[in-house]
Amino acid sequence: MNKEKIVQRVESLRANLLELSHKIHSNPETGGKEFQAVKWQVEMLTKEGFICETPYCGMETAYRAVYKGKGNGPVIAFLSEYDALEGLGHGCGHNLMAASAVGAAIGLKDSLGDQAGEIRVYGTPAEETWGGKIPMVEQGAFRDVDFGLMFHPSTDNIINRQGKACVGVKAKFIGKSAHSSRPETGINALTALIGLFNRTFSQLEIWPAGARCNGIVINGGTASNIITEEAEGDFLLRAHTLKDLQIMSEDFKVLAQEAADEVGATVSMVWEPAFAERYTNRAMGMAFLENMALLGEKMNLPNPAEQVGSSDVGNVSLVIPVIHEYLKIAEPTVNGHSKEFREASVSERGDEVVLLAAKGLAMTAYDLFTNPELQTEVKEEFKRVVPQEYQEMFK
């Protein structure tokens, strides 16, 4: 049975995959700077017969790896993430995601045999910041891909968890410097920035349900006895959908201008690309659930009331059927984006999850290659669930 062959092949890669995971973890690289992580992944894939292209889609730390079967058939892609968090390292466990994507692709290729089709790995940088998958989508990288698969480390085993839309924005206020003994002769840019914080938090009551706004001060002045001439904040807006996010974004522009006008300052804003909401494919997720059961892992459906995060895989889910399933590496008391989660990413359980994810993803891809009924079910669900306007947008 070819699934047994997949499991055996991934097991044969254990030492190499865990070495890859630990090397990426020990050498954290933030978005757009993941040169070593890409190099190590591409080296492994090249040795296994994949044709690798890097840079890719105009990004120095993106890559595409391709392994072709016998003739035309389904094109199945594993998505790899490998960027670290600024100042924290791999507190989101992306080292596990990279190793599992590479392991799934290599584990599957020998089972492809005479099967028509193609295996790909997409190396996607900067998920934590500007979202490398977004320019990939915009440049048509997934246009000829049929199915996309990836996993994310978590504090529970979950399938079919959705995600919110989000967008980052920096708001910079310019005022006029003055001695703090005569504040009336200056224009306090920090007062304007604080005004924007207050306005956005008040606005949450009337924004669409589920809206969130978080922000930090990245420049609040240089000394308390100087009226602050320049102040800047970094904000993240979240909403259930891109439509709701657009409403929030337009309101945010107005609120920032009002905060500037109140003190006589000027304001400028720099917007990052918007992460779309995620439409994870249930039919693919159930296939993953069944394969994980074969591996001894019980998967759960998400709590409908839970608060979910955002990822640029949402943008990919507008274009092709995608799964982004979760495997537990730490207890529920451990927060993501924390030192504790960072340590869990190289724990014994973290290592185990690299292998489990690689096997489960490869086995699910094998189902997609060999089961035309599953292919049809997945594609019909995609057409039914993903809003038509998105499907038309990216044809």
Side-chain angles (χ1 to χ4, degrees):
M1 178 182 177
N2 275 322
K3 286 190 179 180
E4 292 177 356
K5 187 176 179 181
I6 288 170
V7 170
Q8 292 169 2
R9 184 70 173 101
V10 173
E11 275 298 325
S12 75
L13 297 166
R14 174 181 289 269
N16 290 335
L17 293 176
L18 297 187
E19 180 186 17
L20 174 63
S21 173
H22 283 245
K23 283 197 301 186
I24 293 174
H25 188 278
S26 298
N27 297 272
E29 300 166 298
T30 54
K33 300 176 183 177
E34 314 98 318
F35 295 101
Q36 286 291 99
V38 169
K39 176 177 177 288
W40 293 325
Q41 291 173 79
V42 167
E43 284 177 349
M44 278 193 70
L45 290 163
T46 300
K47 287 178 182 177
E48 293 289 340
F50 284 78
I51 305 302
C52 298
E53 179 183 354
T54 185
Y56 184 67
C57 283
M59 294 176 285
E60 288 190 272
T61 57
Y63 73 87
R64 184 181 73 165
V66 177
Y67 187 90
K68 292 182 180 292
K70 306 290 185 180
N72 295 326
V75 177
I76 299 181
F78 300 105
L79 308 183
S80 172
E81 294 176 12
Y82 34 85
D83 62 318
L85 292 155
E86 184 72 46
L88 184 61
H90 282 285
C92 203
H94 288 187
N95 56 300
L96 307 179
M97 300 168 73
S100 69
V102 171
I106 298 173
L108 178 63
K109 80 177 183 69
D110 293 339
S111 297
L112 198 56
D114 293 330
Q115 176 71 39
E118 190 172 310
I119 302 169
R120 295 184 187 175
V121 184
Y122 285 87
T124 64
E127 188 276 337
E128 297 289 358
T129 49
W130 43 265
K133 298 180 192 65
I134 299 174
M136 286 184 175
V137 169
E138 292 172 346
Q139 295 179 48
F142 302 101
R143 194 165 288 142
D144 62 343
V145 175
D146 293 291
F147 312 103
L149 300 90
M150 67 184 303
F151 107 99
H152 198 291
S154 182
T155 56
D156 196 2
N157 289 349
I158 300 175
I159 63 166
N160 298 144
R161 176 186 272 163
Q162 306 298 327
K164 288 186 175 182
C166 76
V167 67
V169 55
K170 289 184 174 66
K172 184 176 183 178
F173 293 89
I174 303 296
K176 182 181 179 182
S177 180
H179 195 283
S180 63
S181 64
R182 298 185 60 199
E184 70 279 2
T185 64
I187 297 173
N188 198 324
L190 181 58
T191 300
L193 178 58
I194 293 170
L196 176 57
F197 273 96
N198 292 334
R199 282 172 166 82
T200 55
F201 295 149
S202 297
Q203 191 76 10
L204 284 172
E205 296 182 0
I206 58 175
W207 268 335
R212 295 284 185 273
C213 179
N214 302 95
I216 60 171
V217 176
I218 56 178
N219 177 14
T222 57
S224 60
N225 64 346
I226 302 172
I227 297 301
T228 302
E229 182 178 18
E230 186 176 302
E232 186 172 7
D234 192 1
F235 296 84
L236 186 68
L237 310 180
R238 294 188 197 271
H240 283 306
T241 67
L242 285 175
K243 284 185 177 180
D244 288 346
L245 191 64
Q246 183 63 33
I247 293 171
M248 292 179 67
S249 299
E250 294 303 318
D251 286 346
F252 186 89
K253 294 174 186 177
V254 173
L255 297 176
Q257 190 60 58
E258 289 177 350
D261 291 344
E262 186 174 43
V263 301
T266 61
V267 63
S268 60
M269 284 166 275
V270 177
W271 293 83
E272 295 176 352
F275 287 31
E277 67 269 27
R278 182 164 71 241
Y279 297 92
T280 188
N281 190 277
R282 184 179 179 86
M284 287 170 65
M286 293 306 294
F288 182 79
L289 176 148
E290 292 172 4
N291 285 310
M292 293 309 297
L294 294 175
L295 298 170
E297 288 286 316
K298 181 181 183 298
M299 303 302 295
N300 305 302
L301 292 172
N303 178 353
E306 75 171 331
Q307 295 298 324
V308 294
S310 309
S311 169
D312 57 356
V313 74
N315 298 68
V316 182
S317 79
L318 308 184
V319 182
I320 60 171
V322 164
I323 57 170
H324 180 275
E325 313 301 22
Y326 294 81
L327 291 174
K328 179 179 179 177
I329 66 166
E331 294 303 315
T333 53
V334 174
N335 291 323
H337 289 201
S338 68
K339 293 178 181 178
E340 292 78 13
F341 202 87
R342 180 184 67 197
E343 297 312 307
S345 298
V346 283
S347 65
E348 183 177 344
R349 172 61 182 178
D351 288 349
E352 181 184 4
V353 162
V354 169
L355 280 296
L356 284 169
K359 293 170 186 175
L361 292 172
M363 292 162 70
T364 305
Y366 178 78
D367 289 334
L368 289 165
F369 270 125
T370 58
N371 187 341
E373 291 182 0
L374 178 60
Q375 294 176 23
T376 299
E377 182 182 1
V378 168
K379 290 183 176 182
E380 287 181 351
E381 179 187 333
F382 174 82
K383 291 178 182 178
R384 184 176 67 252
V385 172
V386 177
Q388 191 64 34
E389 62 197 87
Y390 292 147
Q391 298 181 46
E392 294 294 329
M393 187 184 306
F394 295 106
K395 275 186 176 179

